[in-house]
Amino acid sequence: KTSSVVAVKVNALPTATVTANGPTTFCSGTNPLTLVANAGAGLSYQWLKGTTVLAGATSQNYVPTVTSTLYKVQVTDSNGCSKTSSAVAVKVNALPTATITAGGPTTFCAGDSVKLQANTGTGLTYQWIKGTTPISGSVASLYTAKTAGTYKVQVTNSNGCSRTSSGKAVTINCRLAVDTQDNGSLS
């Protein structure tokens, strides 16, 4: 006896690709990269960091911002068939530390100065700023402030990532002596 015919339909897997719209290596705190999964009717998405499911990351686009890792997207079609994309490597470079230490009092008389020292480290470069204006030629880790103002230092690491320190106020706070002597004659 022959069995009845059973129709079997094999649904194709959906396409699962990721396009990087922006650089895949960038500095922490910036958002220049959006990962975009392929579009299609009836598709749903789940983003993964390595093999870990990213809770709530279910749209066609994903913006990685925090850590360096491999990102993938799992695409599911209306038939319930799923496929996971190949990984896209994303590297998020850390920002350097940017601090200023004053080598003495930051309030002094005209003609005096204070040495301002930025944090040091391998591969760091510097740009000193007074107010909001970069100080031309002031690119060492040490700066001697001779005038009143708020000084900052922008520190850049070997990855090209920069951070600007908080301001260090320098004040000129001395009065010049005024000659109050009477030039009259003494008798």
Side-chain angles (χ1 to χ4, degrees):
K1 184 174 185 182
T2 310
S3 67
S4 53
V5 175
V6 176
V8 175
K9 181 180 179 190
V10 177
N11 292 316
L13 294 177
T15 300
T17 60
V18 176
T19 302
N21 285 347
T24 56
T25 299
F26 55 92
C27 298
S28 178
T30 63
N31 294 330
L33 173 64
T34 300
L35 299 176
V36 181
N38 55 285
L43 298 180
S44 61
Y45 307 93
Q46 176 60 65
W47 289 92
L48 302 113
K49 182 168 71 169
T51 58
T52 304
V53 171
L54 294 167
T58 57
S59 70
Q60 183 184 359
N61 299 336
Y62 181 74
V63 178
T65 58
V66 180
T67 58
S68 302
T69 193
L70 300 174
Y71 290 92
K72 303 178 212 174
V73 67
Q74 182 181 54
V75 178
T76 304
D77 65 17
S78 58
N79 295 315
C81 297
S82 295
K83 185 175 181 181
T84 302
S85 71
S86 57
V88 173
V90 174
K91 183 175 182 185
V92 182
N93 291 316
L95 300 179
T97 301
T99 59
I100 299 173
T101 304
T106 57
T107 299
F108 49 82
C109 296
D112 286 339
S113 63
V114 63
K115 292 187 184 302
L116 302 177
Q117 177 67 57
N119 56 288
T120 58
T122 304
L124 299 180
T125 59
Y126 306 91
Q127 175 61 64
W128 287 90
I129 301 163
K130 182 179 177 188
T132 58
T133 305
I135 303 168
S136 179
S138 298
V139 294
S141 64
L142 182 66
Y143 179 76
T144 302
K146 297 178 182 180
T147 60
T150 300
Y151 292 85
K152 298 177 184 177
V153 65
Q154 182 183 56
V155 180
T156 303
N157 63 21
S158 58
N159 292 321
C161 298
S162 297
R163 178 178 281 172
T164 301
S165 70
S166 57
K168 182 71 76 174
V170 172
T171 307
I172 307 296
N173 194 21
C174 291
R175 294 183 181 177
L176 297 174
V178 176
D179 186 2
T180 59
Q181 217 175 31
D182 186 315
N183 288 332
S185 59
L186 294 173
S187 37

